[in-house]
Amino acid sequence: MQNNAAAGAGLPARLGRRLVLIVPYVWLILFFALPFLIVVKISLSVQRDGRPPYEPVFELGDGLVALWGGLQKFSTESYAAIFADRIYADAYLSSLWIAALATLCTLAIGYPLALAIARAPRRWRPLLIVLAVAPFWTSFLIRIYAWIVILKDEGLLNHALISAGLIAEPLHIYATQWAVLIGIVYSYLPFMILPLYNALEKQDEALVEAALDLGATPFAAFRQITWPLSVRGVIAGCLLVFIPAVGEYVIPDLLGSSDVLMIGRTLWDEFSTARNWPGAAAVATVLLVVLLAPITAYQRSQLQRKGAGR
Amino acid sequence: MKPGLSAGMLAVLLAGFAFLYVPIGLLVLYSFNSSRLVTVWGGFSTRWYVELFGNEQLLISTLTSLEIALVSASLSVLLGTCAAYSLARTGAFAGRTVFSALVYAPLVMPEVITGLALLLLFVALGIERGFWTVVLAHSTVGMCFATVVIYARLAEFDVALEEAAMDLGATPAEAFRLVTLPICAPAIAAAFLLAFTLSLDDFVLASFTSGPGSTTLPMRIYSQVRLGVSPQINAISTLMISAVAMLLLAAHLLTGRSAQK
């Protein structure tokens, strides 16, 4: 009886199940995977005046001869330019450096905060974690703008410090890489706190209490119990901050001066100011190759978490 | 004896929340400053708000942004629910690894790369850029966030509930509609809010994929911010922050009520 019912519903149900998978799958291939292939193709093209500003351009109706002619126009000159000009290497390195430093600072601020929330009385925790993540829900641009108001030479911080008699000359933080660093730490902090809190909240507090009862110092208890049990959250949080920060465009553009080199900005300038689409595509491809390892590590960590949860 | 919260922990909480909220608080405070100068308090005034409502371009962009956010959040939730359901319930299938890679990569991918890639796709396909290309871009990233949120909920509830429904004669579609969907409703609502906010807030993807006539609010704010500090931006900020605060409060009250049931 039940088997019959299942068999009766079998075909449309299986079809439905297929469709439920196929629609998002095809969507992601079409609008996320395929565009990357086009990026690679255009990175091998040559800049020209016209629309679109690159060649070769292939049309569906092209004959084999035209196709062959087009293929021969491919060139690696955009990549050669990236490797020849120091400014690109400097931009990649300084992006990686600023992102790494920002990730460490975010961890240094986020970990104690996440720990304090996870150890707060149970009924406070939901409210506290909502409050810690809430700034993420307000506009990102506005949060960066707030720091312009604060950090400018004639801004609120300098005004306050000078009025208090602590400094005589304004501090130059705005339009330096320190301002970029503060901006990244401030806007990415919620991404760090959330996975850390998830890892720390699950821990059994009795473990630490037992260690303390047995004579461990609070530091030893932290180093041998709390920290190792939270490493997974630390890794997820760090990758969630580091990877997007490397390609950040808005923060260096608004808080940094033109000599704060970051690759997201180089890409943008290449694309919009120089109208060098193949150049921008090559910068993006190299950046993607650089970020491939951390992105894979992030996916691994997410899938592992899912596996452990079952 | 178990202490409620040690003094050290309390200090950490206070310092952390001060860091998070003082910048936002200052913006709100100075939006009511009658002086144009940031550091001079010229008395309480609402003139920047009045000016704001006279700025027609800004109002049009706000409307555009809200429309884009509404459409793309709906699409994100629809696609995200499908993707999450497949990941949670379809066991092993060919290309599962590729599929989950495709879901997780956009979460961390720098926006300049995603934006450039989508723009080049639209140009290669000869698609005119405008309202719908922005919606497409936002839905693609939004659906991945939605998938993760909804998947977390699906993974933690018992499959036996669905199986029981089917044993009692429900078709898989009925089991989904009558059992799975109600249980996932809070996660789906959260995913919608997340995708909506992400879309409303996005500057980079929108500037790559929008065309004339579909300038979004963040694009307007960005060009104003680049011109320099202006109290009008403080006023927009305050309005946006209040809107978000009210939404969060509403969400909190709603989930609180349903939890009490």
Side-chain angles (χ1 to χ4, degrees), chain A residues 60-199:
Chain A
L60 267 183
D62 281 354
L64 276 178
V65 181
L67 190 69
W68 178 243
L71 284 176
Q72 281 179 320
K73 283 195 190 137
F74 276 128
S75 113
T76 53
E77 69 179 51
S78 295
Y79 291 97
I82 290 180
F83 290 107
D85 197 340
R86 277 250 11 133
I87 200 139
Y88 292 101
D90 286 346
Y92 281 110
L93 288 177
S94 108
S95 301
L96 290 171
W97 163 243
I98 291 176
L101 205 59
T103 307
L104 277 181
C105 295
T106 316
L107 182 65
I109 296 175
Y111 199 96
L113 194 54
L115 187 64
I117 296 174
R119 296 289 175 268
R122 195 170 288 277
R123 64 201 160 85
W124 290 12
R125 286 179 206 164
L127 178 69
L128 288 174
I129 194 70
V130 165
L131 277 178
V133 183
F136 163 78
W137 293 86
T138 67
S139 169
F140 169 69
L141 282 178
I142 281 168
R143 282 179 287 145
I144 298 302
Y145 169 73
W147 282 101
I148 302 182
V149 176
I150 294 171
L151 293 177
K152 269 199 163 216
D153 284 3
E154 64 277 18
L156 292 170
L157 179 70
N158 279 316
H159 189 71
L161 289 176
I162 291 175
S163 317
L166 289 172
I167 52 169
E169 290 293 307
L171 300 169
H172 299 291
I173 305 175
Y174 177 67
T176 65
Q177 62 168 338
W178 303 113
V180 177
L181 194 74
I182 294 173
I184 297 178
V185 170
Y186 184 70
S187 17
Y188 285 86
L189 195 55
F191 290 107
M192 181 64 89
I193 291 179
L194 213 51
L196 285 178
Y197 171 78
N198 284 336

Side-chain angles (χ1 to χ4, degrees), chain B residues 22 31 39 58 80 95 100 104-105 110 139 149 184 238:
Chain B
V22 166
S31 72
T39 45
L58 208 68
S100 45
Y104 283 106
S139 311
V149 172
C184 290
T238 305

Side-chain angles (χ1 to χ4, degrees), chain A residues 17 20-21 25 27 31 35-36 38 112 131 134 137 139-142 145 149 154 186 253 271 288 299 306 310, chain B residues 19-21 27 38-39 82 85-86 95 101 104-105 113 118-119 136 140 151 197 201 218 222 226 230 234 237:
Chain A
R17 212 161 245 230
V20 161
L21 170 63
Y25 207 154
W27 182 287
F31 298 116
F36 284 113
I38 297 178
L131 277 178
W137 293 86
S139 169
F140 169 69
L141 282 178
I142 281 168
Y145 169 73
V149 176
E154 64 277 18
Y186 184 70
D253 196 49
F271 172 77
L288 202 60
Q299 291 176 333
K306 297 287 137 62
R310 261 182 209 167
Chain B
F19 176 63
L20 283 171
Y21 282 97
L27 272 190
V38 188
T39 45
C82 291
Y85 188 78
S86 308
Y104 283 106
I113 299 185
L118 279 165
L119 168 98
L136 256 166
T140 305
Y151 177 78
T197 321
D201 194 24
Y222 197 82
R226 284 202 73 167
S230 126
N234 288 27
S237 314

Side-chain angles (χ1 to χ4, degrees), chain A residues 283-303:
Chain A
V283 169
T285 311
V286 174
L287 179 57
L288 202 60
V289 171
V290 170
L291 290 180
L292 209 57
I295 291 177
T296 320
Y298 170 71
Q299 291 176 333
R300 265 279 151 82
S301 76
Q302 290 303 299
L303 295 174

